[in-house]
Amino acid sequence: MKVWLGILFAIIVIVVLIFFIGEKKNAKEAAKKDQKPIVFVHGFRGQARSMDTMIERFEKKKWGRREGTCRVDAHGNVTCEKPITLTGNGAPMIQVIFENNTASIKDQGLWMKEVLKKVKATYGNDHVNVIAHSMGGLAMMNYLMNYEDEKGTPKVDRMVTMGSPMKGIEMSRLIEQYPKAAEKKYSEAAVDLQTGSPALEHMYKDPSAFNKISTKMLAIAGNVVDEKPKEPGSPVNDHLGDGTVSVASAWYLKKYIPNLELKWFAVNHFNLHESPTVDAAAYQFLTDKK
């Protein structure tokens, strides 16, 4: 009898140990997911303050912690400030700032490759998430289509674009909403952002190129017109938008990436990164948390 009791006790101990080891493993996996860096990318003529307040709100909500800033100089050299550490709670948040904030889509895509290589080397994480505003989304698409498979670059698991003009814009709209943009209306970025530009035509030249992209994406559009957006592809969406980017342009990738998720909010182009409602939608998409 004592022998059987001993065997039963040993079995119970083993089962309990297996349970706790499993729970510990699950906790580690959850923590690892929380440690996945979130990279914030600004748009045309963006600066430090462009995404700064969004990062601050994420911190206050304990959705992440500011870990550093990666600056790209006019020659494409990348420097990342602040020692990187993986202690504390929430995902490390890295802000990207281009010194030349009116560079071409091609240059910005190449620079994002160098930024993300440095993020991977510094954090030791093969996976990142991205939140990009306006032209930052085009820079990231250039990265995904041309550089993500290169050695040393991380996999972008999820990406949120906010008002990214995937179909281009009419520069007059941008200047109307943001008069200072007129100073750079002949810049490489301004040329690339125009509807029907050679850069955008090249991007969509081979639709099969989008098939290799496995990144899950959410495209957020702003709409300040007193009419709700229609289904993607509706001509009505060409006349709706955030004052700079039409809903049709912000959602245009749906034509090439069928599983692209879409949302819209009643805010203008420059308030997309200032809206707590947009924050919540982005965070929920990146983490599956409500």
Side-chain angles (χ1 to χ4, degrees):
M1 186 65 179
K2 289 182 179 180
V3 172
W4 286 110
L5 285 174
I7 293 173
L8 180 61
F9 178 75
I11 292 172
I12 291 172
V13 170
I14 291 170
V15 170
V16 169
L17 284 173
I18 291 173
F19 173 79
F20 279 108
I21 290 171
E23 287 296 302
K24 189 173 182 181
K25 183 179 179 181
N26 290 337
K28 283 184 176 180
E29 288 299 318
K32 186 176 181 180
K33 185 177 181 181
D34 283 340
Q35 297 294 343
K36 190 182 299 178
I38 304 176
V39 179
F40 292 77
V41 189
H42 66 68
F44 177 74
R45 284 183 59 88
Q47 300 175 24
R49 64 176 179 271
S50 299
M51 305 293 279
D52 203 50
T53 51
M54 187 177 193
I55 294 171
E56 287 177 0
R57 291 191 302 276
F58 268 56
E59 283 187 300
K60 288 179 180 178
K61 289 282 189 178
K62 301 188 185 304
W63 292 344
R65 65 186 189 282
R66 188 190 298 268
E67 278 295 324
T69 300
C70 289
R71 299 180 183 275
V72 184
D73 69 19
H75 304 289
N77 300 309
V78 180
T79 56
C80 293
E81 303 167 356
K82 189 182 176 184
I84 305 302
T85 172
L86 290 179
T87 61
N89 298 315
M93 298 185 292
I94 300 101
Q95 184 176 17
V96 179
I97 301 172
F98 297 127
E99 180 181 317
N100 180 0
N101 54 16
T102 58
S104 67
I105 294 171
K106 182 179 179 180
D107 283 347
Q108 289 189 22
L110 177 62
W111 296 343
M112 282 309 306
K113 178 187 79 167
E114 299 305 321
V115 167
L116 293 176
K117 282 174 68 175
K118 182 150 287 192
V119 168
K120 177 179 177 179
T122 305
Y123 282 87
N125 200 317
D126 293 328
H127 300 264
V128 299
N129 290 325
V130 174
I131 298 177
H133 178 247
S134 197
M135 190 176 179
L138 286 164
M140 281 305 305
M141 286 305 300
N142 188 277
Y143 167 80
L144 292 175
M145 297 178 76
N146 296 291
Y147 303 115
E148 191 183 35
D149 293 335
E150 288 191 10
K151 185 177 181 180
T153 59
K155 171 76 178 67
V156 179
D157 283 353
R158 299 194 180 198
M159 180 169 77
V160 178
T161 60
M162 304 181 297
S164 291
M166 298 299 178
K167 193 180 179 182
I169 62 170
E170 299 301 325
M171 187 55 62
S172 58
R173 284 187 181 182
L174 176 60
I175 293 173
E176 183 179 342
Q177 192 173 16
Y178 182 46
K180 287 186 177 180
E183 300 170 5
K184 297 292 184 178
K185 65 180 180 180
Y186 300 114
S187 65
E188 290 181 329
V191 171
D192 284 356
L193 287 171
Q194 296 280 355
T195 302
S197 71
L200 291 177
E201 288 186 355
H202 178 75
M203 179 174 167
Y204 299 110
K205 184 177 181 181
D206 179 13
S208 66
F210 292 89
N211 296 337
K212 71 174 185 178
I213 298 175
S214 59
T215 302
K216 292 183 179 179
M217 298 185 202
L218 167 64
I220 295 177
N223 181 39
V224 294
V225 181
D226 192 20
E227 184 178 353
K228 292 184 178 180
K230 307 301 181 185
E231 289 296 311
S234 169
V236 173
N237 292 337
D238 286 313
H239 307 288
L240 309 179
D242 59 21
T244 298
V245 179
S246 69
V247 171
S249 189
W251 287 357
Y252 189 63
L253 279 181
K254 185 73 173 177
K255 181 178 179 180
Y256 299 89
I257 304 176
N259 63 349
L260 177 72
E261 295 189 30
L262 307 173
K263 286 185 181 293
W264 70 273
F265 297 93
V267 294
N268 68 31
H269 189 67
F270 298 101
N271 279 328
L272 283 167
H273 50 61
E274 304 301 325
S275 167
T277 308
V278 174
D279 293 350
Y283 176 73
Q284 182 177 346
F285 175 77
L286 293 183
T287 63
D288 291 324
K289 295 178 182 178
K290 295 184 179 180

